[in-house]
Amino acid sequence: MAKIIHKEALNHTTDLIEIEAQEIAKNYQPGQFVIVRANQYAERIPLTVVKTTKKTITLIVQKVGYSTKEIGHLTIGDDVLDVVGPLGNAIEIHDIKHVLAVAGGVGAAPLYPQLYAYHQKGITITLVLGAKSDSYLILEDAFKAICDHIYITTDDGSKGLKGFVTDQIKALLDENTYDHAIAIGPLVMMKHVVALNKKHQLHTDVSLNPIMIDGTGMCGNCRVTIGNETYFACIDGPDFLGDNVDFDELIARQNYYQDEEHICRLKLVNEDE
Amino acid sequence: MHNQSPSKRIHNFDEVPLGYTKDQALLEASRCLDCKNPLCVPACPVAVQIPEFIKAIKEEDMEKGYKIIYQDNVLPSICGRVCPQEKQCEGACILGKKHSPIAIGALERYVGDFGLSSQQEITITDNHQKIAIVGSGPAGLSNAYSMRKLGYNVTIYEALHDFGGVLQYGIPEFRLPKAIVKQEIDKLKTLGVHFEKNSVIGKTITIDQLFNEKDNQAIFIGSGAGLPRALNVPGENFSGVYYANEFLTRVNLMKSNDFPHHTTPIKVGNNVAVIGGGNVAMDAARTAKRLGAKNVFILYRRDMTSLPARKEEISHAEEEGIDFRLLLNPVAFKGNNYIVNQVVCETMKLGEKDASGRHRPIGTKTYQTIDIDSAIVSIGQSPNPILSRTTKQLETDQWGRIVTHDYQTSIPGVFAGGDVVSGAATVILAMGAGKDASIYMNQYIQEKRS
Ligand SMILES: Cc1cc2nc3c(=O)[nH]c(=O)nc-3n(C[C@H](O)[C@H](O)[C@H](O)COP(=O)(O)OP(=O)(O)OC[C@H]3O[C@@H](n4cnc5c(N)ncnc54)[C@H](O)[C@@H]3O)c2cc1C
Ligand code: FES
């Protein structure tokens, strides 16, 4: 069990929670994640560790599905039943001069520790931060402290450029060159960013978030096809070079339990009443 | 032994064989000839004194019977249920030549279940030296028992949120009730064994940290063979194609058969293809049936006599209407929008015997396509690579199995046994390895200290 010692709402759908997890914090490296089970009936879900202190880890949870909402119901002082990690591999920080980083929605959370590591190596960072609207943007101030250039896009134009991150990237790629890119966000976004960057001979790292159960390479639920090879995101990733990832297959795998998710949400509505 | 009727049991997850009553156990025990040179004992991987414990049943001294088994087998109520007896003790029983062999497994289960509810006193003198065990499967559990009995301060580290390894997440409730696994584990807790869940050794705590920061004198690795083997055919990553581990874990560990009360979902659809012929395949097929699939078929590339599963599971599966489609080898999955809807199989014929003594399946270049809603790939497991990837000095072979010599790995003080060393095998072999390793671990620690 792990106690929640701090919690704050980053926006109306996204919470930041800090939990006691000394052993995980000790061995943690940027890029790694934990698997969390809120209570004995809950699913196991993977969440990126955004920050650590000596005794705690910080997670950012977007309350989109039933299980993430259950975590959202927990408050300071509550215990999370199961937290296991740190899982997955540390990210590889490339030896480059200028990185183009792209975050979509809550993807900003897993991107943050990566950019922090780039920043510490003195690498120039250009960030495109996209969200549905102004109120969905997270970590803007934290990024400001470590990035050299920040461009914001929102689907509804409530802040920054009205449009998708790709609209902004197109404009940037016409004017500038970058040594490497990182994109983290919804699968559809990563798919389009990778495709666009490829046209400019720019390689893109992505962080994949398939459905996971154990997180130790045992179940195979988290598999992804890259080139013609199968990888397990939990033990081979979660970060991969995105150029040859089969995003369409992954999107299908991600959505496979959509109907069941709906049934769970109905349950949530009933419980809330 | 009586079983739950097939028509009833395909709608529930309750145990299928109902177990002996005392009278039935006495009657079965009375058939034992108490051979002078029993053939059953050497056929048991851990040499349980079978005629001795059966004699105790005859004398109606179940406590004594339990003690006799427990000397060699610390998980009798589990092994009585899941050992491949027909290939071991019962296969060797002299009575089997003319009649049916003594139902040793059923008797072991009877005595084991008796022992679960009784309290035996074991006196342990603490020696205040620590050892750590990686994995709470049968190998880890039996190693814990043996080391604790010698007086060690024992901690089992388990990656998952529940203990028992395959006994917990792999073998279904209808074959091995989880309450029994829990009782066996509680027994170890009573003896003073510590259990730590959510601890992935190599990640949460490294082997080095177990030695240097946690002050362990030796480590036993019983991390099993958890990594699913792939068919390596097109379409294998389509949605609806499960590896058996995922499928069984969703049900056994995450209780998705109780969805949406437990919120981990599962879906099988009406037509389910299970690929493989071992215990895992039988478990997956019978689980799919219980989840409501109308047609479940086993696709196996050899014939009926080559199926490696326990005999009892095969006959239970047949009774439950599982359709065995033999001499078929899947070569591709087809799908619509990345969701599987067909499996293409090549028809096989049997050729010469191979190294395993079974006839080698040979492709005939004729194919058939079967409509399916989901597929469960159950063709084997290899050791999980987490420990070897994070523990550089740990030597493994080309199949990822830890290399040992008298249970000692390439790292001094680190021992290993069970599926992680042998590759996917059996509960009893893993348990035996955990027990035998304890002798070498104890020797190692005592020599180091003197
Ligand atoms: C579905 C199924 C049905 C089976 N049916 C039968 C049967 O009927 N009869 C029979 O005899 N055998 C059967 N087997 C085989 C049998 O279960 C195994 O041979 C046996 O469980 C192996 O025991 P083990 O202790 O070596 O490993 P496991 O039981 O695999 O246990 C290993 C444990 O270690 C944990 N672990 C792994 N890595 C780490 C790590 N780095 N840190 C911490 N913990 C870790 C795992 O989570 C797991 O809990 C079956 C197997 C399966 C999958
Ligand atoms: S989550 Fe189970 S293998 Fe990756």
Side-chain angles (χ1 to χ4, degrees):
Chain A
M1 291 220 264
K3 195 179 285 308
I4 299 183
I5 60 161
H6 176 74
K7 179 178 173 182
E8 67 183 79
L10 297 183
N11 61 39
H12 61 288
T13 63
T14 312
D15 288 341
L16 174 149
I17 57 172
E18 185 176 3
I19 53 187
E20 271 174 6
Q22 191 167 3
E23 238 148 22
I24 298 172
K26 186 169 183 180
N27 285 354
Y28 162 82
Q29 292 168 292
Q32 290 187 301
F33 63 94
V34 290
I35 283 187
V36 172
R37 193 169 72 124
N39 58 56
Q40 59 167 322
Y41 303 107
E43 275 185 279
R44 293 169 63 100
I45 56 165
L47 293 168
T48 304
V49 177
V50 183
K51 212 169 65 186
T52 56
T53 66
K54 207 161 178 239
K55 287 199 168 140
T56 68
I57 59 173
T58 296
L59 311 173
I60 288 179
V61 194
Q62 189 183 24
K63 297 169 284 183
V64 279
Y66 180 78
S67 299
T68 42
K69 284 195 177 128
E70 268 187 322
I71 294 174
H73 278 319
L74 300 173
T75 56
I76 296 175
D78 285 349
D79 282 318
V80 184
L81 180 59
D82 294 299
V83 183
V84 56
L87 300 169
N89 301 296
I91 38 156
E92 189 193 340
I93 305 297
H94 301 281
D95 232 338
I96 51 172
K97 292 214 170 65
H98 195 167
V99 65
L100 173 65
V102 185
V106 78
L111 184 66
Y112 180 77
Q114 304 215 5
L115 290 196
Y116 190 80
Y118 273 100
H119 170 70
Q120 279 193 315
K121 272 187 102 175
I123 293 163
T124 309
I125 304 172
T126 295
L127 170 68
V128 179
L129 189 59
K132 238 190 264 180
S133 72
D134 188 13
S135 63
Y136 283 88
L137 285 166
I138 57 167
L139 300 179
E140 200 183 326
D141 290 337
F143 280 121
K144 272 190 186 140
I146 57 170
C147 297
D148 300 271
H149 314 280
I150 297 189
Y151 300 87
I152 288 174
T153 70
T154 49
D155 299 0
D156 64 357
S158 50
K159 189 164 190 181
L161 180 80
K162 177 173 163 44
F164 297 126
V165 287
T166 37
D167 298 325
Q168 181 66 60
I169 298 168
K170 245 181 240 151
L172 289 172
L173 289 177
D174 285 342
E175 306 268 305
N176 311 280
T177 53
Y178 303 92
D179 304 313
H180 204 89
I182 319 175
I184 309 185
L187 288 167
V188 201
M189 182 211 91
M190 291 194 279
K191 174 185 160 177
H192 286 114
V193 172
V194 166
L196 175 60
N197 287 353
K198 253 186 174 169
K199 284 194 209 141
H200 293 79
Q201 281 79 48
L202 180 61
H203 298 298
T204 313
D205 288 343
V206 293
S207 181
L208 300 181
N209 52 345
I211 303 173
M212 293 191 184
I213 302 178
D214 58 302
T216 68
M218 181 270 277
C219 73
N221 199 164
C222 64
R223 60 200 197 270
V224 296
T225 308
I226 304 177
N228 281 321
E229 301 279 323
T230 295
Y231 293 85
F232 284 11
C234 69
I235 52 168
D236 300 322
D239 300 284
F240 295 95
L241 181 63
D243 298 12
N244 296 314
V245 168
D246 187 338
F247 283 104
D248 291 332
E249 180 186 90
L250 200 55
I251 290 167
R253 291 185 71 77
Q254 191 78 302
N255 294 337
Y256 190 55
Y257 292 104
Q258 235 165 22
D259 298 347
E260 287 73 12
E261 177 67 36
H262 185 68
I263 295 172
C264 270
R265 265 194 245 188
L266 290 176
K267 191 179 130 182
L268 197 70
V269 170
N270 292 337
E271 278 167 9
D272 280 351
E273 276 162 8
Chain B
M1 199 180 340
H2 293 301
N3 292 322
Q4 247 201 97
S5 78
S7 59
K8 187 171 155 215
R9 72 187 190 230
I10 56 169
H11 300 294
N12 67 47
F13 279 80
D14 298 341
E15 193 171 14
V16 171
L18 300 172
Y20 278 152
T21 60
K22 185 172 173 194
D23 287 343
Q24 287 172 322
L26 291 177
L27 187 66
E28 185 63 20
S30 71
R31 293 175 58 227
C32 179
L33 302 177
D34 193 11
C35 307
K36 228 191 207 108
N37 293 310
L39 300 175
C40 53
V41 178
C44 169
V46 299
V48 166
Q49 297 304 304
I50 295 164
E52 297 294 311
F53 97 73
I54 294 181
K55 200 149 79 189
I57 299 178
K58 286 183 197 165
E59 293 161 4
E60 298 192 31
D61 189 348
M62 305 308 166
E63 180 81 41
K64 181 172 156 200
Y66 184 72
K67 280 190 180 141
I68 293 167
I69 303 181
Y70 209 74
Q71 287 167 13
D72 303 296
N73 181 345
V74 295
L75 304 171
S77 57
I78 292 173
C79 290
R81 287 172 167 85
V82 305
C83 267
Q85 286 94 1
E86 74 275 8
K87 291 186 189 130
Q88 302 174 6
C89 52
E90 292 180 17
C93 175
I94 193 96
L95 280 178
K97 297 246 151 60
K98 284 216 175 115
H99 316 279
S100 58
I102 299 279
I104 301 168
L107 289 173
E108 183 185 31
R109 168 183 164 167
Y110 179 77
V111 174
D113 286 357
F114 168 87
L116 277 182
S117 48
S118 77
Q119 203 64 37
Q120 344 96 263
E121 333 79 75
I122 299 176
T123 35
I124 291 173
T125 321
D126 283 310
N127 68 12
H128 306 292
Q129 294 166 46
K130 282 176 77 180
I131 68 121
I133 293 172
V134 184
S136 64
L141 295 177
S142 80
N143 186 259
Y145 174 76
S146 303
M147 293 305 280
R148 181 67 193 127
K149 236 174 31 175
L150 291 166
Y152 288 95
N153 179 338
V154 177
T155 305
I156 297 188
Y157 295 92
E158 169 56 50
L160 295 173
H161 62 249
D162 219 338
F163 304 105
V166 167
L167 308 176
Q168 181 64 240
Y169 76 73
I171 304 181
E173 179 78 19
F174 56 83
R175 203 146 76 76
L176 178 62
K178 300 307 150 222
I180 289 176
V181 179
K182 184 171 183 300
Q183 272 175 298
E184 296 282 14
I185 285 162
D186 286 345
K187 267 194 138 148
L188 289 174
K189 287 184 182 163
T190 318
L191 293 182
V193 173
H194 308 289
F195 283 82
E196 295 282 346
K197 63 173 182 171
N198 298 329
S199 303
V200 184
I201 300 307
K203 295 281 186 187
T204 316
I205 310 171
T206 63
I207 294 282
D208 275 351
Q209 288 170 331
L210 283 178
F211 279 126
N212 300 330
E213 293 171 21
K214 306 255 173 206
D215 216 22
N216 286 292
Q217 304 298 310
I219 296 167
F220 176 78
I221 301 176
S223 54
L227 183 76
R229 201 167 294 158
L231 282 165
N232 291 316
V233 301
E236 193 165 359
N237 294 344
F238 286 168
S239 295
V241 181
Y242 293 94
Y243 288 124
N245 275 2
E246 178 195 338
F247 185 75
L248 293 170
T249 300
R250 279 182 182 270
V251 177
N252 298 332
L253 183 72
M254 304 312 295
K255 317 271 182 245
S256 58
N257 52 317
D258 182 36
F259 179 86
H261 188 49
H262 283 80
T263 58
T264 302
I266 191 152
K267 58 180 166 198
V268 288
N270 286 331
N271 300 302
V272 182
V274 176
I275 295 132
N279 285 324
V280 185
M282 299 305 135
D283 285 345
R286 298 173 66 198
T287 299
K289 192 88 194 177
R290 282 161 175 76
L291 290 172
K294 290 207 179 75
N295 308 302
V296 181
F297 26 89
I298 299 245
L299 304 178
Y300 182 56
R301 59 196 184 127
R302 293 187 165 97
D303 62 356
M304 206 67 191
T305 55
S306 314
L307 288 168
R310 286 180 83 221
K311 219 166 86 191
E312 192 184 15
E313 306 326 320
I314 299 170
S315 60
H316 284 171
E318 286 184 300
E319 288 166 15
E320 290 167 14
I322 308 295
D323 179 3
F324 287 77
R325 301 197 183 172
L326 305 164
L327 293 165
L328 289 178
N329 191 34
V331 293
F333 293 102
K334 298 256 156 103
N336 182 18
N337 281 330
Y338 298 93
I339 296 178
V340 74
N341 59 17
Q342 285 185 322
V343 55
V344 183
C345 300
E346 182 174 15
T347 305
M348 310 299 277
K349 62 176 189 197
L350 292 182
E352 300 286 292
K353 284 192 177 174
D354 64 12
S356 74
R358 294 176 303 173
H359 293 277
R360 190 191 304 274
I362 306 170
T364 61
K365 299 261 184 302
T366 51
Y367 299 90
Q368 53 172 287
T369 301
I370 305 173
D371 289 343
I372 56 173
D373 299 304
S374 54
I376 306 166
V377 180
S378 329
I379 56 162
Q381 281 105 231
S382 330
N384 182 308
I386 280 195
L387 254 177
S388 46
R389 279 193 200 169
T390 52
T391 317
K392 287 285 173 280
Q393 320 88 305
L394 190 64
E395 194 192 330
T396 52
D397 67 12
Q398 55 174 315
W399 294 284
R401 301 178 301 190
I402 296 180
V403 177
T404 58
H405 188 260
D406 287 340
Y407 301 96
Q408 165 76 59
T409 68
S410 55
I411 305 175
V414 178
F415 298 76
D419 280 6
V420 72
V421 172
S422 60
T426 59
V427 171
I428 189 75
L429 288 173
M431 210 203 64
K435 180 183 164 209
D436 290 348
S438 70
I439 300 168
Y440 294 93
M441 288 170 76
N442 183 40
Q443 207 172 29
Y444 168 86
I445 298 170
Q446 296 317 320
E447 272 168 18
K448 202 174 68 169
R449 294 178 67 86
S450 60

